[in-house]
Amino acid sequence: MKIKMGVIGVIDTVEKIKRIVPEFHNQIQVSYYLYSNKDEIFDILKKHQDNLDVLLFSGSSPYFYAKNNNILTKPSVYVPRIATSIFETLWLIRDMNLDYTKASIDVLNEKHVNEVLDSLNIPKDNFYVKSGDYIDDGKQLSSYIENLVPFHYDLWKDGKISVAITSNSMVAKKLKSLGVPVFRLYPTIPSIRGSINRAIYISDVERIKSTQIAIQIVRIKDDTQRNAFEYEFLKIKNRFETILIEYTQQNFGSFFPFGNNEYLIFTTRGALNRKSIEEKFSKIIDLEKDLNILFASGIGYGNTVYKAETNARIALTHAMNETNSCCFIIEQDGGIVGPLGSMDNINLSYNLIVKDKRIQKIAEDINISPTYVAKIKSIIDQTGNDIIDSEELASFLGISLRSSRRIINQFLDGGYAKVVGKARQSPTGRPRRIIKIEV
């Protein structure tokens, strides 16, 4: 079966991608989606993403826009701009009898640009580079792109350059309207080919993952009604079981009551994926007040039944520690996601075994668990905000206010946080410190 790939981008870059796609006709079935401004990307994904296996963005700008707005549900890659892209652009500028030795260029690494210039014997003195190497999220990219027009325009206005070279179509359009001679930096054929191969690879990986075993355990947390209202409790429990059975059928699984207050659901990861959990199981969580029943759920993925159930039990333990009905997920590799369905709507995603060297160093420097550092980083990534106070942190981590203050003090003492303000909840109360955490 061919992989369904969606290519998203501006028309000129997509046309270049179209030329390479026929090489992969035995592996992929491609649909093309063009946009003229970034807001159209949201509509494209909303309409078409569910029918695709993988997404290929024509550049980093649309990719990070989608990623930063949390609208990606399918594996995605983008076509990068690499230094060898300069050759074609400089050749075009020379053919138009323009001075290609005085130029500004964005996105590329300055070292790589200089290597190309050296190979062409072009002096570097009049070449100005605004590198985008540090960009790794949508916010940084947005700020970076906003500064590209003044970067190129000011150099041209001051007579320091003859032409501007940009990878961004919107920037090129704006510079052209200002009268700046501007040329687009397009991806090379090898980089397009490599990106398509990478998209095929991650799509194949996702297909393999979808065949993993998925086990979901649901446990009623509070059955104190049983003794006082036995019959009423049984009625509620029977209704809850009926809802779980319907949910299991929707996910093509098998349902097994396990003891008095626990239920096991067996299916595959492809059926019980993140989207299914958020759309279907969240509706059951929403019934908590209506049913007057509190429950916890853990989902485990694994290549074997043993591994999947082990992960499901670990996930259930996390859910049992929450005050509200919720669900946690443990991946095959130990990554954890949750709580899904929590009242604060913040779903943390981190690894129980932390491999990130920076997180390990921070944890060692301030003497707290690497998992806590990973959780806090996940909070910042999910909320897009590195400003927090002790009460918010306590709520997010599910710990006491005293423990939250202790953790914040450890970040402050270790130099990984700073006080950026204070706030009072009441005229007589002690002001709360507002902290900026740097992880």
Side-chain angles (χ1 to χ4, degrees), residues 86-94 100 120 122 127 165:
I86 304 173
F87 287 105
E88 182 180 337
T89 306
L90 291 179
W91 189 275
L92 179 61
I93 294 171
R94 190 194 68 169
Y100 57 87
L120 295 173
I122 297 175
F127 241 84
I165 303 171

Side-chain angles (χ1 to χ4, degrees), residues 14 61 111 148 156 221 254 288 370 386 390:
V14 168
S61 180
K111 177 184 176 182
L148 287 184
W156 178 77
K221 293 173 69 173
S254 299
E288 177 187 310
D386 56 6
S390 55

Side-chain angles (χ1 to χ4, degrees), residues 98-109:
L98 295 172
D99 187 357
Y100 57 87
T101 65
K102 294 172 60 179
S104 56
I105 189 167
D106 58 47
V107 171
L108 298 177
N109 178 286

